[in-house]
Amino acid sequence: MRESSEVRRQRILAVVASQGTVKVSDLAGELDVSIVTIRRDVEELAQLGRLRRGHGVARSLTPVGQPVAEQAPNGAVALVVPERHTYLYETMNGARTALEEAGMRVVLHIAPQVEGAERPIVERALSEPVQGLLIAPRWRTHEEETADGWLADTGVPTVVMERRPGGRLRAMNSVCSDHWYGMHLAVQHLTDLGHRRIVLAARDDSPTARALRKAFTEISADLEDAITVRSSPDTGLVSVLRAHRATATILHGDVDALMLVQQLTDAGIAVPRRCSVVAYDDVVAALGSIPLTAVAPPKTEVGKMAAELLLRQLRSGTTTAERIELLPELKIRSSTERLTVS
């Protein structure tokens, strides 16, 4: 039976670690798979910081024969993030950089998009010789968050990244963005430009989305016609904007905002002259044909601060929990302008 991609990638890492530099073609021959498959594996491993990718080769992060810090017992931290989550990958990279600079090994675990997937992954991660845990749970629903009360009893220092734990987890260490303030920045920017009819389009499948919806409701209470709708491919947001005579919209996240700009253009609605658009996340917002004004949570800094908090606890042995919130920034670009009355 053909081995899983996870097993194959572990074999790639083992070969690269033993040889230092290996040709992609040699890896393909040794693992009996196509060169295209190996190239994809090497690229993803490089993005995760597990090896270095060169022209037609894969290179070890550590010279062959040199003692590797990650092999030392009790010198590792488990890092758990959801798969296919670009936003949290930036947070992951911030944590990884801080930990590696401190001489710690990072043991990365990717949680698939399956309900309940994180618990067995964490249990497996903690069966290894690790000192602590950094985790960014997906928590698509309140029920999933409530069901993850087991995180309070991992048995090692644990920090939750880009989440504000509640209920049984409220006393856990956490570092997150202040999304209320981020929404405040977006609404304040639009109202300063004269907009009063603003639509927030946000999903309801993550703690960030739910925090943004709640914040927008509070912040926009005094506006003439501010509403919240759930964003999805079937929302028909252009029709919603027309029906509410909206002059501005805020979208979580960037991809939905970029797609809306295309849809507005196709419908003959000029951005930003007839509708200003603000994205929330700022992962790819600047790359659109019309660079998007965006709220940028401090994604990398959240990961870095989470790692530093964990390191402080490991060094001091303290059990006092800390909750840290970092402020987002507003990046003003070409998709917003002052409202003109025609």
Side-chain angles (χ1 to χ4, degrees):
M1 184 174 64
R2 185 175 294 275
E3 65 188 6
S4 67
S5 60
E6 181 178 354
V7 171
R8 185 177 63 249
R9 289 170 188 173
Q10 291 298 324
R11 291 181 61 194
I12 291 171
L13 291 172
V15 173
V16 171
S18 65
Q19 299 183 28
T21 300
V22 188
K23 290 182 179 179
V24 169
S25 57
D26 292 343
L27 284 169
E30 183 164 341
L31 275 65
D32 193 25
V33 294
S34 70
I35 290 179
V36 172
T37 297
I38 293 296
R39 283 176 179 162
R40 183 171 61 247
D41 287 342
V42 168
E43 182 176 353
E44 293 191 15
L45 288 168
Q47 290 175 351
L48 294 174
R50 305 296 300 277
L51 50 71
R52 292 189 179 91
R53 182 166 61 94
H55 183 65
V57 299
R59 295 190 176 93
S60 173
L61 297 176
T62 306
V64 176
Q66 177 176 314
V68 185
E70 64 185 43
Q71 294 176 340
N74 302 319
V77 170
L79 178 59
V80 179
V81 296
E83 70 170 334
R84 300 191 185 115
H85 204 306
T86 306
Y87 179 105
L88 289 175
Y89 281 5
E90 291 193 33
T91 302
M92 172 195 74
N93 284 325
R96 179 177 63 86
T97 299
L99 291 169
E100 290 179 348
E101 287 177 353
M104 300 291 289
R105 177 192 176 199
V106 177
V107 184
L108 179 63
H109 296 265
I110 307 296
Q113 301 181 53
V114 178
E115 184 176 352
E118 285 159 332
R119 184 168 189 170
I121 287 175
V122 168
E123 290 173 350
R124 184 165 64 249
L126 298 184
S127 69
E128 302 173 359
V130 296
Q131 288 183 294
L133 170 67
L134 293 176
I135 183 169
R138 187 176 295 275
W139 286 348
R140 289 166 294 187
T141 65
H142 286 297
E143 290 73 20
E144 286 188 12
E145 181 175 352
T146 301
D148 278 351
W150 55 269
L151 274 172
D153 302 311
T154 61
V156 297
T158 300
V159 180
V160 178
M161 302 185 299
E162 200 54 298
R163 299 289 183 253
R164 184 185 295 179
R168 184 183 174 194
L169 303 181
R170 183 174 293 276
M172 288 191 68
N173 293 297
S174 65
V175 180
C176 65
S177 302
D178 185 341
H179 294 301
W180 189 98
Y181 181 74
M183 182 55 67
H184 163 76
L185 291 176
V187 174
Q188 186 67 55
H189 172 62
L190 292 172
T191 55
D192 285 349
L193 294 175
H195 297 279
R196 294 297 181 271
R197 293 180 174 274
I198 304 171
V199 171
L200 168 68
R203 301 181 305 277
D204 194 23
D205 60 354
S206 74
T208 298
R210 291 187 289 274
L212 293 178
R213 292 165 66 88
K214 180 181 179 184
F216 182 77
T217 300
E218 296 174 2
I219 295 166
S220 64
D222 296 330
L223 296 181
E224 179 180 354
D225 190 18
I227 65 167
T228 301
V229 298
R230 293 192 180 187
S231 60
S232 74
D234 303 322
T235 298
L237 187 53
V238 173
S239 298
V240 172
L241 295 175
R242 279 176 165 160
H244 288 272
R245 294 182 291 128
T247 62
T249 181
I250 305 167
L251 283 94
H252 176 234
D254 294 356
V255 172
D256 286 348
L258 291 169
M259 292 178 64
L260 175 64
V261 170
Q262 296 173 12
Q263 294 164 3
L264 288 170
T265 301
D266 292 342
I269 301 174
V271 176
R273 185 171 58 85
R274 290 182 57 193
C275 185
S276 288
V277 177
V278 176
Y280 199 101
D281 274 357
D282 200 38
V283 177
V284 294
L287 303 182
S289 56
I290 299 175
L292 300 181
T293 294
V295 176
K299 300 173 283 292
T300 301
E301 191 66 18
V302 165
K304 178 182 177 183
M305 290 290 291
E308 291 177 351
L309 171 57
L310 183 64
L311 289 168
R312 286 200 304 274
Q313 296 212 324
L314 289 173
R315 290 164 181 157
S316 66
T318 181
T319 57
T320 303
E322 296 184 45
R323 174 172 292 191
I324 300 172
E325 292 190 54
L326 305 179
L327 298 181
E329 297 179 75
L330 180 70
K331 304 291 183 69
I332 299 176
R333 302 189 180 102
S334 305
S335 65
T336 53
E337 69 174 28
R338 183 166 295 279
L339 177 66
T340 56
V341 180
S342 57

